[in-house]
Amino acid sequence: MQHENNIISDLLIVGNGITSQFLSLALLKSLGNNIKINVINRDITENYAEEYVRALSISLSTVNICKALGIWDKVKQYCYPVERIDVSNPSQSGPKKGYLQFDNRINDQLASYIINERKLRDIVAEELSQFNNLTIFNEDIKDISIDQNQAKLFVKNKKFIAKLLIAADGRKSIVRDILGIKAISWDYKQTALSCVVNHSKSNTKTAIEMFLDTGPFAILPLDEKTSSIIWSSDNDIMNEIKNLNSESLIEELNKRFDNSKGKILKIDNIGYFNLYFSITRKIIDHRLVLVGDSAHVVHPLAGQGINIGLRDVAQISEIIVDSIKYGLDFGSINILEEYQRSRMGDIISSALIYDGINKLYSNNIKPLEPLKSFAIRFVDKIPLVKKNLVEEASGIKENSPKLVKGIPLNL
Ligand SMILES: Cc1cc2nc3c(=O)[nH]c(=O)nc-3n(C[C@H](O)[C@H](O)[C@H](O)COP(=O)(O)OP(=O)(O)OC[C@H]3O[C@@H](n4cnc5c(N)ncnc54)[C@H](O)[C@@H]3O)c2cc1C
């Protein structure tokens, strides 16, 4: 019998961000009433700044997940297709500027799209509203305890109990902190400015990545003449930028903006994010799983954070559905080991690639200049390398979980 203050479910998810929403949807679409999910989120009104909405670059793995969950037709309506990616190193002097053009397709399929995060989340939230075995609580988490059979989460006057606790509570994960899960991390001492701009010329379905002396400057097209800018630079530089009014900020951005898109006319939705690298030493424990930014935070230069997090979701939801199908305890460590084994390679390789690119290009070390331009020219000269890079960023491998391949999960 359920004690008045004990709230029992099969699964307890902490956080209600994008990975949490996709996880609930993946499970409910295939398990229906065979699973009860409780989500614990903090009171978001107090933390509005961190709920900042940004433009997301979604890769083919995320597109396939949306297809398998039956939401791609809705999501696609809000996506801007990226047919080409131009990568350059404009700070170099001399006639041979580093410059690369990627045809952003894999087997005639577009490899990425840009979408407003809020639109994506609204679509998933609407889908979730059909299920009455998902409940979201806004609570302040006080403690967590885990034993052989259950995970328990304590809030004021209540205790949530489940077979499995999933941390989807982002880069400052409280679950990670309370349970003392260590991460390998370093501070980039960089801040990312993220904003939405209107500009005078068309986007022509092209995304731009410029490696400036001070750090990467990305222009992600949101529609014909609207783009999101993500400019990562040293904290000192960004502290000065933060103090500018809109007019001066536009002026500063126009100095770096790509000519092919004309001039910035209007700026909106400005946010600043401290950047650091972090991978937890483990992504499972007894009755515990970490997904998304709670497990790994990567540099935003390639816009891969959510894509990696949703691949976590694809893997763990497949494991849970299969366990239920065969009557197994999905919270037991033996079952969860499969999640850690299959995810760690992708997480570590993705995180380190973007970390390396950022370190190489975000500095003014003169002896590295030839290497910077060599790297770009090398990739440009060998079409197979370019093709492999686009395929790598798509996040789809032969041994990927079903959802990543666009295959629905069925009980
Ligand atoms: C500038 C910038 C640009 C980016 N651009 C891209 C991009 O183009 N493409 C891409 O794929 N990724 C991008 N990313 C990364 C992406 O935003 C993250 O990877 C993604 O938001 C992580 O999702 P999440 O659900 O794991 O965590 P979050 O989105 O951080 O969600 C965490 C959830 O946990 C909740 N929570 C937090 N603390 C508590 C608590 N104490 N108790 C209960 N609930 C709690 C929060 O309210 C929230 O609901 C970018 C990141 C930055 C900084």
Side-chain angles (χ1 to χ4, degrees):
M1 207 176 82
Q2 181 157 334
H3 183 274
E4 204 182 0
N5 290 334
N6 286 354
I7 303 178
I8 299 171
S9 60
D10 299 302
L11 188 64
L12 195 53
I13 305 176
V14 179
N16 193 30
I18 204 149
T19 50
S20 167
Q21 286 183 305
F22 267 86
L23 177 59
S24 294
L25 191 61
L27 292 172
L28 292 169
K29 282 242 163 167
S30 49
L31 295 171
N33 284 328
N34 291 305
I35 192 161
K36 178 165 171 45
I37 304 176
N38 284 337
V39 172
I40 315 294
N41 201 32
R42 61 180 169 193
D43 185 355
I44 54 164
T45 49
E46 278 175 26
N47 295 287
Y48 186 72
E50 285 180 41
E51 291 291 310
Y52 176 80
V53 176
R54 47 194 160 237
L56 293 178
S57 161
I58 57 170
S59 67
L60 215 47
S61 60
T62 298
V63 171
N64 280 351
I65 292 171
C66 291
K67 283 183 182 167
L69 297 179
I71 57 171
W72 176 239
D73 286 345
K74 285 187 191 163
V75 172
K76 198 177 175 183
Q77 289 174 32
Y78 298 99
C79 281
Y80 188 85
V82 180
E83 291 181 354
R84 221 180 69 191
I85 303 174
D86 289 356
V87 179
S88 63
N89 186 18
S91 56
Q92 273 173 243
S93 53
K96 281 194 179 174
K97 272 188 175 180
Y99 183 70
L100 256 177
Q101 264 186 4
F102 286 93
D103 177 12
N104 193 32
R105 282 171 217 272
I106 300 171
N107 303 331
D108 287 339
Q109 241 189 315
L110 277 191
S112 57
Y113 295 82
I114 314 293
I115 189 168
N116 178 325
E117 180 185 9
R118 178 55 51 87
K119 292 274 185 233
L120 182 60
R121 292 185 56 168
D122 285 350
I123 292 168
V124 182
E126 197 193 323
E127 290 283 315
L128 286 172
S129 65
Q130 303 162 25
F131 297 95
N132 54 17
N133 45 338
L134 167 73
T135 315
I136 298 166
F137 298 82
N138 287 328
E139 299 282 358
D140 199 6
I141 297 170
K142 305 286 182 211
D143 204 1
I144 296 170
S145 82
I146 291 183
D147 62 34
Q148 201 61 28
N149 301 313
Q150 295 172 324
K152 296 176 195 147
L153 185 148
F154 301 84
V155 302
K156 197 177 171 199
N157 302 329
K158 281 196 282 279
K159 181 166 66 181
F160 290 87
I161 301 173
K163 281 186 214 152
L164 178 64
L165 175 73
I166 299 199
D169 53 344
R171 47 172 56 203
K172 293 178 188 158
S173 169
I174 189 171
V175 176
R176 214 178 48 206
D177 285 357
I178 291 178
L179 295 175
I181 294 174
K182 299 266 178 299
I184 299 164
S185 45
W186 49 84
D187 191 345
Y188 286 119
K189 298 192 170 57
Q190 284 182 329
T191 300
L193 157 67
S194 170
C195 59
V196 175
V197 295
N198 295 105
H199 41 87
S200 54
K201 289 191 187 164
S202 164
N203 267 317
T204 61
K205 300 186 173 124
T206 304
I208 307 256
E209 181 80 69
M210 289 184 279
F211 291 104
L212 308 178
D213 280 345
T214 49
F217 188 105
I219 308 172
L220 307 177
L222 272 166
D223 66 35
E224 268 317 285
K225 290 185 179 174
T226 310
S227 297
S228 165
I229 291 180
I230 299 169
W231 176 23
S232 312
S233 200
D234 290 354
N235 290 338
D236 302 349
I237 297 173
M238 276 301 157
N239 284 339
E240 286 176 26
I241 296 285
K242 269 184 202 171
N243 291 326
L244 300 177
N245 61 25
S246 300
E247 223 169 89
S248 314
L249 180 56
I250 290 179
E251 208 175 299
E252 233 11 84
L253 290 172
N254 266 328
K255 287 182 197 162
R256 293 155 178 96
F257 202 62
D258 193 76
N259 283 338
S260 68
K261 295 182 191 282
K263 287 283 168 210
I264 298 171
L265 307 171
K266 195 171 162 260
I267 189 164
D268 219 344
N269 219 4
I270 302 164
Y272 294 90
F273 302 86
N274 290 332
L275 300 182
Y276 54 88
F277 173 99
S278 168
I279 297 183
T280 51
R281 287 178 186 272
K282 56 184 179 184
I283 54 174
I284 56 158
D285 207 333
H286 292 280
R287 311 226 161 254
L288 176 74
V289 163
L290 279 76
V291 295
D293 276 22
S294 73
H296 41 76
V297 179
V298 305
H299 199 285
L301 70 90
Q304 285 295 327
I306 277 179
N307 299 297
I308 302 169
L310 294 186
R311 297 204 286 274
D312 299 343
V313 165
Q315 189 70 60
I316 192 64
S317 49
E318 187 170 327
I319 289 171
I320 294 174
V321 170
D322 282 350
S323 302
I324 291 180
K325 196 189 308 187
Y326 298 113
L328 302 172
D329 173 5
F330 58 75
S332 79
I333 195 84
N334 300 341
I335 300 277
L336 299 179
E337 261 159 11
E338 164 66 9
Y339 170 71
Q340 174 150 289
R341 195 190 53 70
S342 46
R343 287 302 301 139
M344 270 320 217
D346 179 30
I347 292 171
I348 293 172
S349 61
S350 304
L352 289 180
I353 286 173
Y354 306 122
D355 179 67
I357 296 174
N358 179 54
K359 283 194 175 131
L360 177 61
Y361 287 98
S362 299
N363 66 69
N364 281 319
I365 304 169
K366 281 277 170 279
L368 284 181
E369 285 300 322
L371 180 62
K372 290 180 188 177
S373 50
F374 169 76
I376 285 186
R377 285 206 305 272
F378 173 78
V379 173
D380 195 34
K381 286 226 169 74
I382 306 174
L384 193 64
V385 176
K386 273 198 205 178
K387 191 169 168 276
N388 285 348
L389 283 174
V390 174
E391 279 177 9
E392 189 62 37
S394 78
I396 304 170
K397 302 264 161 60
E398 221 176 294
N399 59 352
S400 292
K402 283 183 186 161
L403 292 179
V404 167
K405 292 179 176 164
I407 305 167
L409 300 176
N410 290 315
L411 194 57

